[in-house]
Amino acid sequence: MERLLRGHPVRTVSVDGVPAEFVGDPALVRRILVKDGKHYGKGELFQKARVLSRAGLLAEDDSQHRHYRRLAHPYLRTAAVAGHAPVMAGVARDTAAAWRPGQEVDVQAAMCRAASDIALRTLFAGLPHEVSDELGERLAVLSWEMISKPLHGRAALRAQRQTPSRRLATAFADVRALIAGQLDSPDATTGYLSALLSDTAKDGAPALSADEVCGEAVMMLTAATVTTVSVMSWALYVLAEHPLIEEKVLKDVARTAAAGHRAPAGHGHGPPGYTLRFLMEVLRLYPPVWITCRKALVDVTLGDRALPAGTHVMFSSYLLHRDPDRYPDPHRFDPDRWLRTAPSAQDASYIPFGAGARGCVGEAFAWRELEILLGTLVREWRLTVPPGGRVRAAADTTLHPRRLVMVPEPR
């Protein structure tokens, strides 16, 4: 992408034989997401891998999306996240306690289970312990299948024909079946599942069918898992590759713990501490949602291009985050660049969680989760890549390490 698309505000490309306009100008991307957001709907080029809900938060209709965004907000807003922190910390401690000195760890599998447990125990609190445990195991499997699924090409075209891979279909069905078994349970009276079940239409009837409730529940749980897995995997790998940065993170984590509080998990609270700057830099270089497609609902103009309704419009946070005009020496991992640079509100040069009306509703949740997981794991373990190990990026549903096996040693 950098070789072919850098320096072009808008350039015509082809994805699996379908023409699209690739937008590289961060100001134009912000226009698509924010100012003119109502003129763009969900794109179709990268929905081939989707087997999740088409209702609720993933609905094409903006009014329905806004409704379920408001429904989810009480469980994801900053005040609620503070209440979730003890649960996040407990899962992080359990994850660290499961590792053994010198024994190789499949980091992405471990992060799938940790993020799945956090999502279940915070957003779907109240489920019986045994159900939550089984759901956690199956959600971890589903999340990995989603993470590693191709977005385009022949494999994705097969999925478009309504025949997703057997492993993905099985994992999806397993999680849905477990959730469906809880819909009539008195335990399903707290958390987001309860909100979905109690949501009503104007006539007082349930707003969602049981099938749609299950789909929305799976979507929320999976969305709360897959991006965390990718970011945490890259974070632990980067620490192993940069000992000086690891030392600074460790000192910042120890200082924060000794002070009895944690740094603000987000922007707008003064200069970010080193751990937060580190995570911001991980998200800059390795944004999990690395490419996005929208579809023009009406005739639009982007720069000097007049585009008819129906045009596919693409942009990449991976490319935007590596813009040398915005980020000098863009490929260098430098957490301290965030002392000199702040995320811009005028363009989309830094959008790890998207922007506008369809930006990630769980951003505050994600910042706190990442901070707690990272802090707990680095206090307990130093991770290294085995000799001869080579880590490559895989641009699938998320941007993740193709394979990440690491060896923990106690601090």
Side-chain angles (χ1 to χ4, degrees), residues 146-151 288 290-291 393-400 402:
M146 290 298 298
I147 287 168
S148 57
K149 189 164 187 59
L151 280 180
W290 61 279
I291 196 165
D396 293 322
T397 302
T398 66
L399 182 66
H400 65 98
R402 187 168 300 280

Side-chain angles (χ1 to χ4, degrees), residues 120-176:
L120 281 163
R121 296 182 191 183
T122 56
L123 303 180
F124 287 65
L127 293 177
H129 184 72
E130 63 277 9
V131 173
S132 186
D133 281 350
E134 187 174 1
L135 257 176
E137 292 177 4
R138 297 190 182 189
L139 178 59
V141 173
L142 172 60
S143 296
W144 176 245
E145 291 298 326
M146 290 298 298
I147 287 168
S148 57
K149 189 164 187 59
L151 280 180
H152 61 89
R154 293 180 180 177
L157 286 171
R158 286 195 294 271
Q160 190 181 27
R161 300 189 188 106
Q162 311 274 327
T163 56
S165 73
R166 182 176 300 176
R167 287 182 302 180
L168 176 60
T170 299
F172 182 60
D174 285 348
V175 175
R176 282 183 68 108

Side-chain angles (χ1 to χ4, degrees), residues 199-214:
D199 187 36
T200 56
K202 291 181 180 179
D203 61 0
L208 297 177
S209 67
D211 187 61
E212 289 172 329
V213 167
C214 289

Side-chain angles (χ1 to χ4, degrees), residues 89-104:
V91 172
R93 289 192 297 269
D94 290 345
T95 301
W99 295 352
R100 296 291 178 265
Q103 292 186 3
E104 291 186 350

